[in-house]
Each structure stands twice: as structure tokens, then as C-alpha cells.
Amino acid sequence: MDTKQKRPNIIFIMSDDHAAHAISSYASKINKTPNLDRIADGGMRFDNCFCTNSICAPSRAAILTGRYNHMNGVKTLGDKFDSRQQTVQKIMQDKGYQTALIGKWHLGHGGIHNPTGFDYWNILPGQGDYHEPKMFEMGEEKNYQGYVTDILTDLSLEWMTKRNKDKPFMLMCHHKAPHRPWDPDEKHAHMYKDVDILEPETFNDDYSNRSAAAKEAAMRIDRDLTIRDFKDAPPENLSGQELKSWKYQRYIKDYLRVIASIDDNVGRVLDYLDEEGLTEDTMIIYTSDQGFFLGDHGWFDKRFMYEESLRMPFLVRYPRAIKPGSTTKDFAINVDFAQTFLDYAGIAIPADMQGTSLRPVMEAKTPDDWQTSMYYRYWEHLSSEHKVGAHYGVRTTRYKLIYYYGEALGSSDAVDESRTPEWELFDLEKDPYEMNNVYHESGYCETVRMLKTELYRLKTKVLDEE
Ligand code: CA
């Protein structure tokens, strides 16, 4: 490794709702992503990267601030980001980096909610549109022709081409895809036309032996998707399991088609780096703001602390420091990203950031006392669209303990329904798909006690007192 390396450029590509199990590096059973795999093959794949609150805006706020949602003020989709607070991009800009944000922002728009700390920003308002998107370039409204994923990549390449080549840069390219309603472009609209995509193992989950929260959630493939999602009305001659399978095929094919466009466009960025001789000096990351249910447990969407939603894909390539083709099971969380960037940029890390730089893991020097547990909290409650009850919990290497506390505590949903609080415990070694809540089994008494101690230790450590 070159010890006198220059400060790296950082390209942070984040898509929206792209689950790790729809990436071939992560052994996806349903998808091939050759260009995302180029990042993994040339660098490191994180197998245990987790989101601290599995929903769009809160994850973005955690990434930019390196602080948990009760600290940065964005606990729910309804909360807007106060851009006067400290962010990684402001620090990087102040210390000589050129900074840009292109794509989804989703943290409020206008006034103190506009992005700050970026030399250039051009954002989609709210969720943004797949076709002919409207954008706000440094606050000025513009209309673009074409498909959003291509446009965001065009703008990213254009910005890199025009940059000052004497200074390092940090570019954040935040794709809208593959967020609902999964509208593919022309080029990929007919992929998978004549094939059936495999249904997941837990597709017909009946939510027995789980919390009432799982049963109550309104994100079922067979009940809660709409004609807008399917693009056509379901055939009238189908019912029951056949109709559910038809709906899944409609959903998952469009989901994979919009990802195919992301994969192509990530390939364009990688080609550009090669052509410009930037590959060696650039750290490029591919991640998503959280995971997603791909028919797992019969669901779409995210929110729950269950594995498919909790896990973020995280692929990173930086040839000067990271061994090609490496993988790690060491824990990483979205709150760690900001500190990682600062560490590689040689910038002192502010004491009030709450994560840990991932640099030692990336460089295969993980210390013995590395984090082996993570704290999760989802604040939205039953008045939100998908009716997933608020919960917090802890995940360790083997177990997951979740507490559905039954109230809209501390969220902006001031008036909401209450439920009887309930606990779930999963033994991930014996039950990787989380189908069997063992919280009440006598053999797990001591495990529950230890996990509760760890949960409250983490809660106190991250200063989440409510
Ligand atoms: Ca999202």
C-alpha cells in the first residue's frame, strides 16, 4: 500500500430501496448486476452493514451528519432536515474538497432545508419522477427530458469533467431508483418478459408466532400494491395464490428493470474513472438508503428491523488501500459513513459524531474491540401509510431483540393509536429468515436478559433517552 497517498476523491452512489439480495455480489438468486460487481471485485463487500432506521429521509440524515435520528432531528418521513447543522459535506468543503450532490435529497426543500456544504447541488424534489424529471439546480427549477437514472449520471459525469483538477472531490450521486412506483426505461422495459422470477422462501408467511405488528403491517404484495404499481389491472380469471404470484411477478420484474438501468449507469461512472486515470485515487461506494422486502414475508417496502430491510448493500473500491475481492462480516452502520470519509480525507473527526470510521475494517486491520452489536429505532407508528408499529431493538452477531413499544413516542405523529407492547427475539443462526419468535421460550431466558442489558447500554450510549 502507498503510505504517501494523495487525499482520495470520494464518489458515493446511493440508490433508494435497493436490497442487498438484489445484487449478484451478494449472491442474489434473482438478479445480475455486473457493474456493481465490478466495485465489489475491485474492493470490499460488507455483509453486515445496517441501517439505524430503515426509511428514506432518516437514513439520509444519519449518513450526512454521522448522528442518530433523535440527534439530527429527522426521525420520520415527515421531519425536515435543518441544514444549519454540521454535516460531513460542510467539513469536507471547508477543508479543501470540491463537493457536489446530484439526485434525491428528500430532506425538505427551500429555506433552511435546502442542501448546504455542496459547491454544486441539483436535486429531485421529494421522491422525484422517473421520466422527464423536474429538478432544482442550486434552487432554480429545471425540467429535464429523458430517464432519471441516465440524467443523474450525465450530470455527475459533467460535473466531474468541469471540476478543478487541482483539488480532491466528493460527489454524492443519489438515485431515485429503485423506489416505488418502479417505472422502467424503454431499454429495459421488456427484460424478463418470458421468464418467471423465483419467489422467496418466506413468500407465503402467515405471520404466526410473530408479533401482532407483523400481521398488522400494510405492505403485503397480495393486498397493498395498486394498479399504479402493476401498470395494468390484474387478469380477472386469477384469484388466491395465482393472483398473488401474478402480482409478485409484476412487482419484482419492474423492480429489477429499474435496477438494470442503475447497473448500466454505474458502469458508465466506472468507465469514466478508468478513462480519466482516476480509478486509483478514487474511493467509490455503492449503497442504498436501506434494504427492502422483495416478496420476503409476502411484503414490499421496508421499515421493520427484519433482516431484508435492516441490511444495506455496501460495496467500496479504493485500490490504494483496499484489497480487491475482499469481504467482511464486521458490523458497519450508516452512522459510520461520515467518519469514514473524514478519516480518509485526513480531517479530524468532530467529537459529536456518533459512528466509527470503517477504515480499519476496509484495510483488514479490524481491532479486537470492534462493534458486535447495533442499535435500531423506527419512530413512525400506525398512522403512517404502511401501519408498521414503532419499535427499537438490538442486533448482535447471532441474535436480534425487538421491542414494539406500542406508542408514537417522540415522533411527530402526536395523535396515534396505542397497542400492547410486545417483544420479539430471533436466533439468527437457527432461524435466518426470522419466522420464529423465541422470546417466550424458557431456553432463551438468559439470552433475553443479556440482550436487554446490551439494548439499554446502546440506548444510553447513543443518548436516546425517550
Ligand atoms: Ca429508501
Side-chain angles (χ1 to χ4, degrees):
M1 301 294 167
D2 179 357
T3 49
K4 282 187 244 162
Q5 64 203 33
K6 291 190 278 183
R7 298 207 289 175
N9 304 309
I10 295 171
I11 301 179
F12 181 78
I13 304 177
M14 179 163 65
S15 57
D16 193 341
D17 296 355
H18 189 175
H21 55 310
I23 294 177
S24 35
S25 301
Y26 283 94
S28 175
K29 295 174 184 168
I30 60 170
N31 203 16
K32 293 260 189 296
T33 49
N35 289 298
L36 302 185
D37 297 355
R38 284 166 67 187
I39 301 178
D41 293 345
M44 179 175 268
R45 184 189 78 215
F46 278 71
D47 286 348
N48 286 317
C49 182
F50 302 117
C51 185
T52 51
N53 179 3
S54 181
I55 193 166
C56 304
S59 181
R60 288 153 199 275
I63 288 167
L64 296 178
T65 59
R67 286 156 69 78
Y68 287 79
N69 296 137
H70 54 280
M71 306 296 282
N72 63 42
V74 184
K75 295 172 181 171
T76 71
L77 289 182
D79 295 325
K80 293 181 179 173
F81 187 71
D82 184 338
S83 280
R84 294 170 296 188
Q85 66 189 298
Q86 172 181 274
T87 56
V88 66
Q89 71 271 15
K90 275 191 203 177
I91 301 170
M92 302 280 282
Q93 186 186 47
D94 186 50
K95 299 293 182 188
Y97 268 73
Q98 296 166 86
T99 55
L101 167 72
I102 292 163
K104 190 170 172 183
W105 170 245
H106 204 248
L107 290 168
H109 187 229
I112 60 163
H113 307 304
N114 274 337
T116 54
F118 294 106
D119 300 319
Y120 176 78
W121 54 272
N122 195 349
I123 57 171
L124 297 160
Q127 299 287 6
D129 291 323
Y130 275 104
H131 290 98
E132 282 74 62
K134 177 197 292 185
M135 294 183 71
F136 285 86
E137 184 185 46
M138 309 293 283
E140 190 186 327
E141 185 175 327
K142 290 200 168 178
N143 291 294
Y144 289 84
Q145 293 300 306
Y147 189 68
V148 68
T149 309
D150 298 332
I151 293 165
L152 300 181
T153 306
D154 292 345
L155 289 167
S156 296
L157 297 179
E158 197 180 308
W159 182 79
M160 283 192 282
T161 302
K162 287 183 185 164
R163 78 189 195 282
N164 173 355
K165 291 180 179 156
D166 299 329
K167 290 167 79 179
F169 68 88
M170 179 172 77
L171 165 66
M172 305 186 103
C173 174
H174 293 184
H175 287 295
K176 181 229 169 26
H179 194 279
R180 199 179 185 183
W182 313 294
D183 292 338
D185 62 358
E186 263 308 299
K187 186 177 163 196
H188 302 96
H190 305 289
M191 284 177 86
Y192 310 109
K193 194 163 171 271
D194 301 315
V195 294
D196 278 344
I197 309 289
L198 187 71
E199 292 175 358
E201 286 83 350
T202 58
F203 187 53
N204 294 311
D205 188 359
D206 63 1
Y207 318 107
S208 56
N209 195 24
R210 221 88 49 71
S211 66
K215 201 167 283 173
E216 183 166 12
M219 41 195 222
R220 294 191 198 175
I221 300 271
D222 63 354
R223 184 189 65 193
D224 303 313
L225 285 171
T226 65
I227 290 177
R228 173 67 183 88
D229 299 314
F230 303 132
K231 321 299 189 283
D232 289 307
E236 285 176 10
N237 61 337
L238 296 183
S239 62
Q241 194 65 31
E242 278 187 337
L243 179 58
K244 182 177 174 183
S245 292
W246 181 90
K247 289 179 175 182
Y248 168 74
Q249 293 299 327
R250 279 290 168 128
Y251 155 62
I252 201 69
K253 285 181 182 179
D254 276 345
Y255 182 85
L256 297 178
R257 287 163 182 153
V258 299
I259 289 171
S261 171
I262 291 184
D263 190 71
D264 286 356
N265 277 292
V266 168
R268 292 175 62 206
V269 175
L270 295 173
D271 291 346
Y272 176 86
L273 296 179
D274 288 345
E275 286 156 17
E276 296 291 315
L278 288 168
T279 298
E280 288 291 310
D281 290 317
T282 302
M283 168 177 280
I284 182 164
I285 289 164
Y286 182 81
T287 188
S288 169
D289 57 349
Q290 13 62 213
F292 213 67
F293 295 104
L294 308 179
D296 313 281
H297 302 287
W299 289 330
F300 63 100
D301 217 71
K302 54 264 182 176
R303 298 162 190 271
F304 275 106
M305 198 190 166
Y306 298 139
E307 290 293 273
E308 298 85 352
S309 152
L310 179 70
R311 175 167 286 115
M312 307 166 80
F314 192 90
L315 306 172
V316 54
R317 185 185 81 180
Y318 177 35
R320 290 207 191 278
I322 302 174
K323 194 172 162 226
S326 52
T327 63
T328 183
K329 295 200 181 307
D330 294 331
F331 277 24
I333 51 176
N334 57 354
V335 174
D336 298 333
F337 300 175
Q339 290 182 213
T340 308
F341 302 159
L342 294 176
D343 192 354
Y344 272 106
I347 299 169
I349 294 165
D352 59 358
M353 283 194 173
Q354 295 181 293
T356 312
S357 166
L358 301 172
R359 185 172 184 168
V361 176
M362 291 179 180
E363 298 181 6
K365 296 173 197 151
T366 306
D368 291 340
D369 62 349
W370 189 255
Q371 54 196 356
T372 53
S373 63
M374 59 83 58
Y375 175 67
Y376 180 86
R377 183 160 181 183
Y378 172 77
W379 273 269
E380 290 202 3
H381 195 51
L382 301 170
S383 62
S384 71
E385 182 187 355
H386 295 291
K387 294 182 81 65
V388 173
H391 55 286
Y392 54 73
V394 58
R395 190 200 192 282
T396 65
T397 50
R398 175 160 177 190
Y399 298 104
K400 188 184 292 175
L401 180 73
I402 309 176
Y403 181 49
Y404 300 88
Y405 45 91
E407 304 283 341
L409 278 185
S411 96
S412 48
D413 301 325
V415 182
D416 207 332
E417 297 171 56
S418 296
R419 293 287 182 270
T420 306
E422 50 188 342
W423 291 88
E424 285 183 325
L425 171 66
F426 297 103
D427 182 339
L428 299 171
E429 199 173 286
K430 292 184 181 162
D431 178 28
Y433 295 116
E434 300 164 304
M435 297 292 279
N436 189 28
N437 174 19
V438 294
Y439 180 80
H440 298 287
E441 287 187 14
S442 58
Y444 286 95
C445 268
E446 180 57 18
T447 304
V448 166
R449 197 189 60 76
M450 283 168 53
L451 288 169
K452 282 188 179 173
T453 302
E454 180 60 6
L455 173 62
Y456 295 119
R457 183 190 74 82
L458 287 174
K459 213 167 180 326
T460 303
K461 183 185 165 207
V462 306
L463 309 172
D464 182 17
E465 308 289 358
E466 193 162 26

